[in-house]
Amino acid sequence: MKSYRKELWFHTQKRREFINITPQVEKCLEESGITEGLCLVNAMHITASVFINDDESGLHQDFEVWLEKLAPEKPYSQYQHNGFEDNADAHLKRTLMGREVVIAVTEAKLDLGPWEQIFYGEFDGKRKKRVLVKIIGE
Ligand code: ZN
C-alpha cells in the first residue's frame, strides 16, 4: 500500500473565508501516484473546516448568514470561551461545517459527484493555518 501526506497552508485576509481547494487536492493526488484508494482532507485547526459543497457564491453567502444566526460573532461577551480570545463563534462554526472529508480515489481521479467541490472554511483567519491531505491506496 502506498501512502502520501501533505500540508496545505492558508493565510486569509478576512476573518471568515471559503476557499475552493479542489485543484490543490487534485495536484496532491497526482503527486501521490495513487490510482485506487481513499483521500482524507482535514483542517488542522479547531476554528477552521473542510467541507464539500457547491462552488456557488449565493450559497456561500447563505452559509455566512446561516452560521451567523446559529453562532453570531458578536457580542463577544455572550461566550464563556471569550476570555483571552474572541473566537468562540469560530469554534462553533467549525463544528457546524465539519472537520474533514474523505473522497474515494478511482482510476487516479477524485471520485466526486457532479457539483461537489472541496472547500477550506476559515472562521478565525488573518493568520497561517494548515490543512492535512492524506492519501492511501495503490
Ligand atoms: Zn478559541
Side-chain angles (χ1 to χ4, degrees), residues 47-85:
T47 53
S49 288
V50 171
F51 63 96
I52 290 181
N53 219 301
D54 195 0
D55 194 0
E56 197 276 308
S57 59
L59 179 67
H60 292 186
Q61 286 168 39
D62 293 337
F63 274 132
E64 166 67 17
V65 170
W66 179 68
L67 290 167
E68 272 299 290
K69 262 185 216 160
L70 293 172
E73 179 187 339
K74 292 169 186 170
Y76 295 126
S77 61
Q78 72 189 303
Y79 299 109
Q80 297 293 312
H81 178 69
N82 287 344
F84 301 103
E85 296 185 294

Side-chain angles (χ1 to χ4, degrees), residues 46-47 81 85 87-88 91 124:
I46 51 182
T47 53
H81 178 69
E85 296 185 294
N87 66 0
H91 289 279
D124 185 22

